[in-house]
Amino acid sequence: MIRTAICPGSFDPVTMGHLDIISRACKIFDRIIVAVPVNPQKHFSFSVEERMELLQRVCDGAGLANVEIDRVTGLLADYAMEKGAMVVVKGLRAVSDFEYEFQQALANKKLNPHLETMFLPTSSDNMFLSSSVVKQIAGFGGDISHFVPDCILHTIQERLCKQG
């Protein structure tokens, strides 16, 4: 039996923290589906297609052969059932992340009783790191090279870094 897990997230943009969680999940499960949500009510810096392409470049660059990048257009619980996934893997940076993620895990479990959620604490190097932090630093022209994978740095800088 192939053990499939889903790593959902906005990935707007992909950070070293995201790569850390995805890489660690790859060591635990046979197949990882990195799921990018389609949410027309939320404003993203990168389109779904762009986020998926950035994730593919990052995962290929890291040699993560058991990763598949996909989009989610509905409920994660339904998507997991459709894909045969029994686990959702979520990274936690701080206790404040836990409350929201715990609520999501309980809702997903109610919608799909076979779905479990696994929380992975982020590495200490990435505890402060989020896509929002990257966007804020880039927006003020700061150096984001320590926060995003090298293979996508230029693309992210072109979109987010303050010009001139």
Side-chain angles (χ1 to χ4, degrees), residues 1 6 9 19 28 31 44 64 83 91 106 115 134:
M1 171 188 266
I6 297 174
L19 179 57
I28 301 168
R31 176 178 170 226
F44 293 103
L64 302 177
K83 294 294 184 174
L106 292 175
L115 189 61
V134 169

Side-chain angles (χ1 to χ4, degrees), residues 1 4 19 23 30 42 47 51 73 76 82 91-92 97-98 100 104 108 115 117 138 148 150 152-153:
M1 171 188 266
T4 300
L19 179 57
S23 297
D30 301 314
K42 190 172 176 187
S47 70
R51 288 179 280 147
T73 57
L76 185 62
E82 174 188 315
L92 295 178
D97 287 346
F98 179 76
Y100 173 78
Q104 293 299 306
N108 285 330
L115 189 61
T117 300
V148 300
D150 287 340
I152 61 171
L153 175 62

Side-chain angles (χ1 to χ4, degrees), residues 23-58:
S23 297
R24 289 166 51 206
C26 282
K27 295 175 186 172
I28 301 168
F29 298 96
D30 301 314
R31 176 178 170 226
I32 299 295
I33 302 171
V34 178
V36 182
V38 175
N39 186 347
Q41 296 172 341
K42 190 172 176 187
H43 173 73
F44 293 103
S45 297
F46 295 87
S47 70
V48 171
E49 292 77 16
E50 289 171 325
R51 288 179 280 147
M52 290 175 64
E53 193 267 330
L54 291 172
L55 279 160
Q56 191 67 59
R57 284 171 41 195
V58 167

